Amino acid sequence: MTRVSENSQHASMQFALNKAKNRLENLQLKGATLRSMTKPSDNPVSNVESMQLTSSMNDNKQYVRNGNFALMHLNVTEKSLDELTNILTKAKELAIAQSSDFYNEDVRKNVSKEVSQLRNLALSIANKRIGQKYIFSGYKTLKQPFDSSGNYHGDKGNITLEVAKDFFVPVNIDGHSVFFSETESSSYEPSPLKNFPQMNKSRPDGEQFEDTEIEPSRDLASVDEANPANQGYEKRENIFALLDNLVSGLENNEPKVVQGLLEKFDTAISRLITLRTKVGSITNSVETTMSNIESENIDQAARKSSLVDADIAEIFSDLTRQQEVLKTTYKSTQGMLNQTLLDFLR
């Protein structure tokens, strides 16, 4: 029979006591934090998945903040387009009324004052800001986009925000697209004689003209086709110019000029409606994305809870059982651990 030494028996009892205390400590820590894992080694696989879910939920929080910021910009832009549409509609109504011969010169001059106020209102909308940033300046958000003459000083940049994973949406519309016509045309009109082939003409006396190549003239009236600046230009038709022309037509008592602006008003209003539709579709996509993110957060939170959260009933049941185990261990080792040399000499 193998002899069990006192030191070996004492070490065995000490090991069992420490093991019981360690189990009780872990259960007490899980009960205090209400988590099934207090360190990664408790469940490495679940810990990795839990960290991935936590990272994804943090990303979604930032996407929601981006979505709220995008909605604020899009709502302000849509309201500005709505106000511009109302201004042009009002100007068009005045133009329709004053294009007839029913009103006289004095009435048209008085109406021109009202149109001038509509132009000033349109200019204030064109320079609208959110905080310190202009909404119609493109990328140049800190620079005023329009001066008092209606000249555009911004660019055609579209600011985008990521409202979901790899999903970017524009949050602004540049002022050029809103206030300027998209119509472009060539400034160079070739001579109609160029379409006719050069023909040898004979003089009455039978002498023929020599077929010589004529160099293009470089005087002020000529157009250099090789110059890119002359290959195309944009018509200077914008909302401010349209309102200025209406004011000029009313002040000069020219109903024909006023009548000629009606079609341009229709074109400008149609362009604004198209832009409002575009902004509305972007707003709907952002709202749908944010709703999907909230639903995704709920699913991820449920999965993470199943991985890391503790079963309270199970934890406290184990805690009570482990406390009894520790008490039993203490009682069983009490006689041996408290023995002294005198106990063996009795």
Side-chain angles (χ1 to χ4, degrees):
M1 180 177 181
T2 304
R3 175 178 174 273
V4 179
S5 65
E6 294 297 333
N7 288 336
S8 175
Q9 188 176 11
H10 184 275
S12 176
M13 291 297 176
Q14 190 68 35
F15 175 76
L17 184 61
N18 290 337
K19 188 175 181 180
K21 291 171 66 177
N22 188 31
R23 289 177 179 174
L24 181 61
E25 182 182 356
N26 288 334
L27 290 173
Q28 288 175 338
L29 186 58
K30 291 179 179 177
T33 59
L34 297 179
R35 290 182 174 274
S36 61
M37 293 185 297
T38 57
K39 52 185 179 297
S41 59
D42 290 342
N43 192 339
V45 177
S46 298
N47 182 69
V48 171
E49 186 177 355
S50 172
M51 293 178 64
Q52 291 175 347
L53 291 173
T54 302
S55 177
S56 178
M57 293 171 69
N58 290 335
D59 291 345
N60 287 341
K61 289 180 182 178
Q62 184 58 49
Y63 292 146
V64 170
R65 286 193 288 269
N66 290 351
N68 290 328
F69 185 80
L71 286 178
M72 179 186 66
H73 271 263
L74 292 172
N75 289 333
V76 173
T77 302
E78 186 176 8
K79 290 179 181 177
S80 300
L81 294 176
D82 185 26
E83 293 173 357
L84 282 174
T85 304
N86 294 334
I87 288 173
L88 292 185
T89 302
K90 178 63 177 178
K92 180 187 173 185
E93 291 175 358
L94 295 175
I96 292 174
Q98 300 303 320
S99 62
S100 63
D101 296 331
F102 183 76
Y103 297 98
N104 55 25
E105 180 179 358
D106 295 335
V107 174
R108 291 195 175 95
K109 286 186 178 181
N110 292 331
V111 173
S112 68
K113 305 300 181 184
E114 183 177 356
V115 177
S116 297
Q117 292 302 319
L118 292 177
R119 185 193 182 280
N120 294 334
L121 184 58
L123 183 61
S124 67
I125 295 173
N127 292 324
K128 181 173 286 188
R129 291 183 293 182
I130 298 178
Q132 298 297 324
K133 297 182 178 180
Y134 295 94
I135 63 175
F136 292 123
S137 292
Y139 289 135
K140 301 178 181 179
T141 55
L142 298 179
K143 186 174 183 179
Q144 183 173 329
F146 292 94
D147 56 19
S148 59
S149 299
N151 297 319
Y152 184 55
H153 301 289
D155 55 29
K156 297 182 180 180
N158 288 325
I159 299 174
T160 59
L161 276 179
E162 188 177 13
V163 297
K165 183 67 174 177
D166 298 330
F167 181 53
F168 295 83
V169 295
V171 298
N172 72 323
I173 297 178
D174 62 278
H176 188 277
S177 300
V178 176
F179 292 90
F180 284 77
S181 172
E182 297 292 340
T183 304
E184 295 184 359
S185 63
S186 173
S187 62
Y188 174 67
E189 296 181 358
S191 173
L193 298 178
K194 188 176 181 180
N195 297 326
F196 293 93
Q198 188 173 5
M199 298 179 295
N200 294 328
K201 297 180 180 179
S202 59
R203 291 182 178 180
D205 55 358
E207 182 181 357
Q208 293 184 352
F209 289 102
E210 295 183 356
D211 187 8
T212 57
E213 183 178 357
I214 301 175
E215 294 293 334
S217 175
R218 299 301 181 191
D219 56 12
L220 296 177
S222 65
V223 177
D224 185 7
E225 293 185 62
N227 188 0
N230 294 326
Q231 293 179 357
Y233 77 104
E234 288 187 355
K235 289 185 178 179
R236 298 185 60 82
E237 293 180 357
N238 58 68
I239 292 177
F240 302 111
L242 192 58
L243 294 174
D244 288 339
N245 291 336
L246 180 57
V247 171
S248 177
L250 292 173
E251 288 181 345
N252 296 324
N253 193 23
E254 295 176 342
K256 296 296 181 183
V257 174
V258 174
Q259 187 177 6
L261 297 174
L262 295 179
E263 183 178 356
K264 296 180 179 179
F265 273 111
D266 290 335
T267 304
I269 293 172
S270 177
R271 185 175 71 253
L272 292 178
I273 292 174
T274 302
L275 291 175
R276 287 183 61 190
T277 304
K278 177 182 177 182
V279 173
S281 62
I282 297 174
T283 303
N284 289 334
S285 64
V286 174
E287 291 176 347
T288 303
T289 302
M290 292 179 65
S291 177
N292 293 336
I293 289 177
E294 292 178 357
S295 177
E296 183 179 348
N297 280 339
I298 293 175
D299 296 337
Q300 291 179 348
R303 176 58 181 167
K304 182 180 177 181
S305 177
S306 66
L307 294 174
V308 302
D309 289 347
D311 187 348
I312 298 178
E314 182 181 358
I315 286 289
F316 284 99
S317 175
D318 294 341
L319 185 63
T320 303
R321 186 175 64 255
Q322 196 61 34
Q323 287 174 346
E324 295 298 329
V325 170
L326 185 61
K327 287 180 182 179
T328 304
T329 306
Y330 273 131
K331 289 181 180 178
S332 62
T333 57
Q334 182 178 8
M336 179 173 294
L337 295 178
N338 292 331
Q339 285 184 349
T340 62
L341 180 60
L342 296 175
D343 294 332
F344 291 99
L345 297 177
R346 288 175 183 173

